[in-house]
Amino acid sequence: MTQMDPTEVARNDSTTVSAAKDELLTLFSSSWTISAFDELDWSRLKELPIRESLDRRRAAGDAAQACHCIECPDFVKHFGMRHDEWLITDHIAGLQQLMSDQNLQLLPDYGQRIAVLKELGFIDENERVELKGKVACEVSSSILALHRQPTTNSCPRSTRPTNSSSPS
């Protein structure tokens, strides 16, 4: 294996990049059993978290080798479907995290609004809505509904004001 200067590769030096590409193509076009793909010897590491991680990895590898699912003729299709399902589930979890209360607390505006509501007594110290807050919410909703009725012309005909000066 040849030694290459990463800065020359990063500078996009054509001869260095070409040499690196040729060497990688040679390496990857050969068998996966060559010594370049041999795993490092982790047995000399004594840190407990690393040892535990290696033990979990070994157990997962043994469980995967014991499975007979790879013998299925449609394994690739089944794996692809399961992988797509996992990607969608992961995306949904990410969206739920974005909408969560924890994410809202990162917004400075949200924190300021919570402080104002606490100061006015609409929520308590645990951010639970007090009775005063519920009443304020209902009053606000009622006012909004009253403002909407004339603009949407949604009043019943019998309750509309009549103009007494106009002829009938």
Side-chain angles (χ1 to χ4, degrees), residues 59-90:
D62 291 343
Q65 291 295 325
C67 291
H68 298 287
C69 61
I70 56 175
E71 297 169 5
C72 175
D74 294 328
F75 173 74
V76 174
K77 179 179 139 189
H78 296 156
F79 181 81
M81 290 178 358
R82 182 66 178 118
H83 183 259
D84 290 345
E85 181 184 335
W86 177 82
L87 287 175
I88 292 169
T89 305
D90 189 49

Side-chain angles (χ1 to χ4, degrees), residues 49-66:
I50 294 174
R51 298 300 316 163
E52 289 173 342
S53 178
L54 289 170
D55 289 343
R56 284 192 306 272
R57 182 177 145 218
R58 187 177 306 110
D62 291 343
Q65 291 295 325

Side-chain angles (χ1 to χ4, degrees), residues 101-160:
D101 288 339
Q102 292 174 341
N103 197 33
L104 284 176
Q105 290 173 355
L106 299 176
L107 300 172
D109 188 41
Y110 178 78
Q112 292 169 351
R113 290 179 184 194
I114 293 293
V116 168
L117 291 172
K118 283 181 184 176
E119 186 178 320
L120 294 174
F122 292 141
I123 59 174
D124 64 8
E125 292 303 315
N126 295 325
E127 298 181 4
R128 290 182 299 220
V129 179
E130 297 282 345
L131 180 60
K132 181 179 177 180
K134 290 179 183 178
V135 170
C137 181
E138 288 298 320
V139 167
S140 175
S141 298
S142 299
I143 290 173
L144 181 62
L146 288 175
H147 283 293
R148 247 187 222 171
Q149 279 185 343
T151 59
T152 59
N153 203 13
S154 61
C155 291
R157 193 160 194 51
S158 62
T159 61
R160 286 192 188 153

